[in-house]
Amino acid sequence: MRGRILIGAAAIALLLAGCTPAAEPSTPEASPSVTESPTPTVEPTTEPVVEALTIPECETLVPLAYAVERFGGSTVFFGELTAADYLFRMTVPGAPEVLTGAEVYRGCSWGVPNSDGSFALAVASITPETSGSLQSALAEAGFSGTISGDLAWWNLEAEGAFSLVGATYILTDDVLIVCDGTGAELTDAIAGKALDAVRTANPALGL
């Protein structure tokens, strides 16, 4: 009897073992999400804006009243001159090419009608390299130069066929002002007046 009881208990144990539910497979833990940092926006670099040279009208560069004061009561404004027709009293190698090749240019002429008395003015844009080359040519041509910071002032006076002739060149890295006329005193005054007008018209250039 005892042996049967043991057998029965063993059988029941086996049955119970067979009814035990299998353990469910463990769910793997989810990997922590990674938040990507936004890519910084790179702003495109912009080149500095270079102000274009503004050259005033001839009668703003040198008002007629000033021309009369410097040259005489019969002085009139003759009109504008093309770069190819500018009236050089003293030839400086390279100067005509600077005027004809300038991106911005204005030429002007004043004088006394029915006489040989006149003077001419030219204002043109220039590059630093061309400015340096022209100043070397001026020195070789016998001009006297005075340099103050970025401003160079060159002039020359000589005996002409009928009177003194003079020429003045004012240069910066951006601007060339040329005046040819009767004597350096006149050309210095006219070129200086034009420089004042160009400065007023181009405050951003720091002339």
Side-chain angles (χ1 to χ4, degrees):
M1 232 359 238
R2 185 174 177 178
R4 291 179 181 175
I5 292 172
L6 291 174
I7 293 171
I12 292 169
L14 288 173
L15 288 173
L16 290 174
C19 293
T20 302
E24 295 183 4
S26 60
T27 303
E29 293 184 4
S31 301
S33 61
V34 178
T35 303
E36 294 185 1
S37 301
T39 303
T41 302
V42 178
E43 295 293 335
T45 56
T46 56
E47 294 293 329
V49 177
V50 179
E51 294 285 342
L53 175 66
T54 297
I55 303 177
E57 300 288 332
C58 290
E59 292 175 278
T60 300
L61 287 168
V62 180
L64 182 57
Y66 187 79
V68 168
E69 175 188 335
R70 303 303 305 192
F71 202 60
S74 300
T75 304
V76 299
F77 173 54
F78 284 155
E80 296 205 10
L81 296 169
T82 68
D85 292 332
Y86 179 77
L87 305 174
F88 285 99
R89 297 289 183 95
M90 298 181 177
T91 303
V92 178
E97 290 76 14
V98 172
L99 296 188
T100 56
E103 292 186 3
V104 188
Y105 163 87
R106 190 180 301 281
C108 318
S109 178
W110 294 261
V112 177
N114 303 315
S115 77
D116 294 328
S118 67
F119 59 92
L121 173 74
V123 181
S125 59
I126 197 170
T127 64
E129 295 77 16
T130 304
S131 177
S133 298
L134 183 54
Q135 291 189 64
S136 296
L138 288 166
E140 292 177 5
F143 280 68
S144 298
T146 301
I147 299 175
S148 177
D150 295 331
L151 183 70
W153 194 301
W154 297 81
N155 61 25
L156 180 62
E157 182 176 78
E159 287 287 346
F162 303 103
S163 63
L164 288 174
V165 293
T168 297
Y169 286 69
I170 299 175
L171 298 103
T172 72
D173 286 345
D174 307 294
V175 181
L176 165 65
I177 298 173
V178 186
C179 183
D180 285 85
T182 306
E185 182 178 354
L186 171 70
T187 59
D188 276 355
I190 297 300
K193 189 68 172 177
L195 175 61
D196 291 340
V198 173
R199 281 172 168 162
T200 300
N202 299 270
L205 292 183
L207 301 174

